[in-house]
Structure formats: structure tokens, C-alpha cells
Amino acid sequence: MSEEESSEEEEGEEETPEERLVRKKQEYIEGFRKKNQPKGAPTAYIMYMTYVRPATAAKYPELTTQEVMKLIGPMWRALTKEEKAPWELQSLTKKKECKRLRDVFNAGPLETFLNGKLLDMMKATADVYSSDDSDSDDSDDSDDDDDDDSDSDSEEEEETRVMRKPMKAKSAYLYYSMAFRRKKKEDAVAAIKNGTAAPGSDIQVGRNLALSKEMKQGYSQMSDDDKAPYVVSSFFVPSCF
């Protein structure tokens, strides 16, 4: 494929103004949902674990939180069907309540957002993009670097004029990743202090592709018992509890 054909193909894949507006609209709606809608209901096991964890931790004060969780898993599996029934019933009740709250959310706050604030946000976004297109027409002779600067400025301008996307609620995986990175950094610091660190190693564990892959693989291979502490933590925010 010639360079000209490759360039034309890349240009064909560029996002159109209409597609960009559709994408931004979905991002605004998703951000509002993530921040405001009730979270999913906890499972029977999560409710049981939350209930017995304080007593179990008090009984074994020498154990870490994760080690305590590993004890609770077998405790749950050892329960009879009749003993699990109350927790199953509570979970079912929570699920019904959560559905009711989400229906209320969809008909109330979400509907108000869609017909009010979202319209203002989309108008502001459209104005920014329209202004960008006009500026682009007036500077046909500018080079690629100038185009990149213009795109960067437009993004910054949009962030200033349009309400920031709401922060997403923390998931179980996010809590795991925070603990994982913290442990990696502590290990790296200890290795450097002990003189056992590999040549060229440092304590930077931020955006690291290899580390992210290791983290995702580790989480996918964890048992439900090992994931339990992070699942519980993810429920300690406004939800259907």
C-alpha cells in the first residue's frame, strides 16, 4: 500500500463532527449514571461475609484482612441450604429494592438530566466544535503542528466550558489495583533500601503496561474468596444497601 493510499485510509477513519457529538453525549450520560444511579445489590455471600467478618477478625487478630476473608469462604460453603436461605432471601429483597430505586432514578433524576443539563452541555460542546471548524477553515496554510495545538486547545476549552465528567464509582478491581500498586511500590522501596533491586529499577509503578497486564492477569486468576475484600470495599458507597 502506497503512502498516499495509507493517508487516505487514515483520513477515512477520522471521527466526523456528528460522530464526535454522539460519542460525547453517551459519555455525559454514562458519567451521570455512574455517579448517581444506585449500585447493584450484593449477593447472599457478600451479605454473609459482611456480617461475620468483624467477629471473625476479632477471633483471629493476628490475621490480615485478606486472610480473614479466606476463612470466611469455607465457612460459607460449609453452611447447609437451610442456613444459607436467610441470606439468599435478604439478597433477593435487596435486588428487588435496587430495581425499584433504579426505576425511580431513570424516571426522575436521569430524565431530568436528559431534558435539562444534558441539552446545555451538548449545546456548549457543539459550539466548541463549531468554533474549532471555523478556526480550521481560516488557517488552511497552517502546518500539522499547528493543527495538533489547535486540537489540544479545543479539548482544554471544552473541559473549561463543559461540566467535567463525574467520577466513576470504584469497582472491586479498582480497589485491587490500588492495593496491588501499593504493594509493588513498597516491595520496590524495600529492595532499593536492601540493595537487592535489579539494575535500573525504580519505584515508579504508575502507568506501566507490563505491570497493568500482570495486575489484570493476577485478578482474573484470583478465587472468589481472594476477591472478596475488594468486592466488599466496592459496596461501601451509596448503593442499594
Side-chain angles (χ1 to χ4, degrees):
M1 180 182 295
S2 67
E3 292 183 2
E4 182 178 353
E5 291 175 337
S6 177
S7 176
E8 290 178 354
E9 182 177 343
E10 290 178 359
E11 290 180 359
E13 295 177 353
E14 289 183 358
E15 190 177 47
T16 66
E18 292 77 13
E19 291 173 337
R20 187 188 299 181
L21 286 175
V22 170
R23 173 176 60 81
K24 295 301 294 184
K25 181 177 181 179
Q26 292 303 318
E27 288 178 359
Y28 293 145
I29 295 174
E30 184 64 18
F32 183 82
R33 283 182 179 277
K34 288 289 181 68
K35 182 179 180 181
N36 297 285
Q37 76 176 2
K39 292 193 66 179
T43 63
Y45 172 64
I46 293 298
M47 298 187 70
Y48 168 80
M49 179 179 58
T50 303
Y51 178 78
V52 302
R53 184 177 62 170
T56 306
K59 185 177 180 180
Y60 302 99
E62 72 281 2
L63 299 182
T64 64
T65 299
Q66 191 164 352
E67 289 171 337
V68 170
M69 296 299 183
K70 289 183 177 181
L71 293 179
I72 298 176
M75 291 166 56
W76 169 255
R77 291 191 290 271
L79 295 179
T80 65
K81 186 176 181 180
E82 290 73 20
E83 291 172 327
K84 290 182 179 180
W87 302 104
E88 299 284 359
L89 180 60
Q90 288 187 48
S91 178
L92 179 60
T93 301
K94 292 292 184 183
K95 288 179 181 179
K96 291 180 178 179
E97 176 64 8
C98 185
K99 183 181 183 306
R100 185 188 70 80
L101 291 176
R102 288 201 172 185
D103 289 342
V104 171
F105 168 79
N106 290 336
L110 180 59
E111 188 68 19
T112 301
F113 173 74
L114 294 177
N115 295 314
K117 185 65 177 178
L118 178 62
L119 300 180
D120 295 335
M121 295 168 67
M122 292 307 301
K123 183 179 184 302
T125 302
D127 289 344
V128 171
Y129 292 156
S130 176
S131 176
D132 293 343
D133 293 339
S134 177
D135 292 342
S136 176
D137 292 339
D138 293 338
S139 57
D140 291 337
D141 296 333
S142 63
D143 56 22
D144 291 340
D145 290 338
D146 290 339
D147 289 340
D148 292 340
D149 291 341
S150 177
D151 291 340
S152 177
D153 292 342
S154 68
E155 290 296 331
E156 294 177 2
E157 184 178 358
E158 181 187 0
E159 288 297 325
T160 301
R161 296 177 58 180
V162 182
M163 185 181 73
R164 269 50 168 190
K165 289 175 58 180
M167 292 181 63
K168 296 181 179 180
K170 289 185 175 65
S171 63
Y173 177 74
L174 181 55
Y175 278 103
Y176 162 78
S177 67
M178 292 165 61
F180 181 92
R181 292 179 185 277
R182 183 166 55 249
K183 181 65 165 57
K184 281 289 186 180
K185 187 170 184 178
E186 291 173 351
D187 291 345
V189 171
I192 292 175
K193 288 183 177 180
N194 296 333
T196 58
S201 62
D202 56 34
I203 60 173
Q204 300 301 319
V205 292
R207 295 187 176 182
N208 183 309
L209 183 58
L211 189 66
S212 296
K213 289 182 177 180
E214 178 185 350
M215 187 164 56
K216 291 180 179 179
Q217 182 178 11
Y219 189 78
S220 65
Q221 295 174 349
M222 290 174 67
S223 66
D224 290 341
D225 292 348
D226 291 336
K227 290 180 180 178
Y230 311 112
V231 175
V232 171
S233 296
S234 71
F235 279 106
F236 291 157
V237 296
S239 64
C240 294
F241 271 96

